[in-house]
Amino acid sequence: MKKLVFLLIVSLSLISCEDLWNNDDDGLYYPFPEEPITLFEINIGSSGDRVAETSLGNFEDNRSAVFQIRGQHSRVSELDQNPDTGEIIFRYQPRRGFVGEDYVEIIAPTDKSGNQIFESKTLEFYIKVHD
């Protein structure tokens, strides 16, 4: 009898958890294969005159992205938010004369409800600076 009650409790627990993981309206980010790309490659000349810009999209509740790793060889490596649309723009400009590779990591919020679970993703930028 104790085994039957135990199995019943475990079964009901698993069934109730199914709703948690399959509910698309709960505001949590789950890593589905159709999620946006989080790996970017930027090719830019070493003259130092051009600034590469990449849109990171819009984030809810005026939340913004932040740097986890800034470019080591940059003259400009910044995040800017359009106050009207909320769109976040990443701007990168290499130091004048630098030729080689640089790397940037940006943490972007993904949770619209302010929950602490699955609340951000890492955007990686591999930057190749050429002559």
Side-chain angles (χ1 to χ4, degrees), residues 35-56:
E35 283 299 313
I37 296 172
T38 58
L39 181 64
F40 300 86
E41 186 173 306
I42 297 174
N43 293 299
I44 190 167
S46 65
S47 66
D49 297 332
R50 196 169 146 253
V51 177
E53 291 187 354
T54 303
S55 173
L56 304 182

Side-chain angles (χ1 to χ4, degrees), residues 8-125:
L8 183 61
I9 291 172
V10 169
S11 298
L12 290 173
S13 297
L14 290 175
I15 290 170
S16 66
C17 288
E18 179 188 10
D19 290 338
L20 173 67
W21 294 105
N22 289 329
N23 186 357
D24 291 336
D25 297 327
D26 61 4
L28 295 178
Y29 163 77
Y30 299 106
F32 292 118
E34 62 271 1
E35 283 299 313
I37 296 172
T38 58
L39 181 64
F40 300 86
E41 186 173 306
I42 297 174
N43 293 299
I44 190 167
S46 65
S47 66
D49 297 332
R50 196 169 146 253
V51 177
E53 291 187 354
T54 303
S55 173
L56 304 182
N58 297 358
F59 303 123
E60 298 290 325
D61 303 326
N62 294 325
R63 295 176 71 193
S64 185
V66 294
F67 285 100
Q68 182 164 319
I69 298 174
R70 286 190 180 260
Q72 297 279 333
H73 308 286
S74 64
R75 179 190 223 177
V76 173
S77 182
E78 64 186 14
L79 294 168
D80 191 23
Q81 185 172 20
N82 182 324
D84 298 327
T85 65
E87 180 183 28
I88 305 290
I89 304 292
F90 167 59
R91 291 189 180 90
Y92 180 88
Q93 182 180 32
R95 282 193 324 244
R96 189 173 298 278
F98 171 75
V99 175
E101 295 182 355
D102 210 349
Y103 178 76
V104 173
E105 277 187 13
I106 297 173
I107 303 296
T110 58
D111 184 321
K112 298 176 185 175
S113 302
N115 295 308
Q116 297 300 312
I117 302 172
F118 304 114
E119 78 168 83
S120 63
K121 63 183 169 185
T122 302
L123 305 175
E124 297 179 81
F125 293 85

